[in-house]
Amino acid sequence: NTAFLEDVIVKSPKIMVEDNFKGSAQFFAAEKIMIGKDAVLKYPSVLCIVGKSSENKTITVDENSKISGAVVLIDDSELRNGKTFIKLHKGSMLTGEVFCTEKIMPEGIIHGSVYARQVFHDAGAAIHDNCLADSEIDVTKRPAYYVSVPVLKNKNKRNNGVFKKIL
């Protein structure tokens, strides 16, 4: 892998980021985003799926990958089949925010906030709803410079800003 992306916006129905990728980008997909093993997405990276369709939507971050930014999955459809979710594999780390109108399986470390309809844990033989296992979520470890994604509408508090690296 010799590609390096910085300050790039990628838009496609499905996005697959290969193992060992390094860079910062904002990825917008309609159906699926997959981040390979040992990838590093620097701040202010974004993984985002927003929309309404009958298709299942998934964002998957594989083992030992590190993301600094936001992971957003918003499904406006009426369908609730349990197949629309975010999965952070063991050893993965997210510094920032997760916003999901469906389910999230956080097996990794999250230094930041998580907003989700439901959490779940896949133990292999069974899937446990409303269960956190093998995960760490700590908002106090999110850096002070982090700018929140303006997903939640709050008229009393302004929490958005320019997503650009300053040298």
Side-chain angles (χ1 to χ4, degrees), residues 18-157:
E18 292 187 356
D19 296 350
N20 302 305
F21 172 84
K22 292 184 181 13
S24 66
Q26 297 182 359
F27 298 95
F28 295 90
E31 299 169 25
K32 184 178 289 193
I33 299 175
M34 296 176 292
I35 306 299
K37 294 179 183 179
D38 302 305
V40 177
L41 297 174
K42 298 177 184 177
Y43 184 78
S45 291
V46 174
L47 308 178
C48 182
I49 297 176
V50 175
K52 178 191 270 189
S53 76
S54 60
E55 297 295 319
N56 299 329
K57 297 172 180 62
T58 58
I59 298 175
T60 306
V61 178
D62 216 333
E63 297 174 0
N64 302 317
S65 289
K66 295 180 179 15
I67 298 171
S68 187
V71 178
V72 178
L73 192 155
I74 299 173
D75 186 353
D76 292 332
S77 70
E78 302 287 324
L79 178 66
R80 298 242 191 261
N81 61 9
K83 295 181 180 179
T84 295
F85 60 87
I86 295 172
K87 181 174 182 180
L88 304 174
H89 283 268
K90 290 182 182 179
S92 63
M93 180 179 209
L94 169 72
T95 301
E97 288 183 320
V98 177
F99 184 87
C100 183
T101 59
E102 292 298 321
K103 297 168 75 170
I104 178 172
M105 183 172 145
E107 289 184 333
I109 297 170
I110 299 172
H111 290 165
S113 302
V114 176
Y115 304 91
R117 184 178 66 81
Q118 186 175 33
V119 295
F120 74 102
H121 177 71
D122 186 348
I127 295 176
H128 304 282
D129 287 335
N130 301 316
C131 177
L132 282 173
D134 303 323
S135 60
E136 173 188 328
I137 301 171
D138 189 346
V139 71
T140 65
K141 292 184 179 177
R142 185 176 69 196
Y145 63 81
Y146 181 81
V147 177
S148 295
V149 176
V151 175
L152 298 173
K153 293 181 181 177
N154 186 343
K155 295 178 182 179
N156 299 325
K157 184 178 177 185

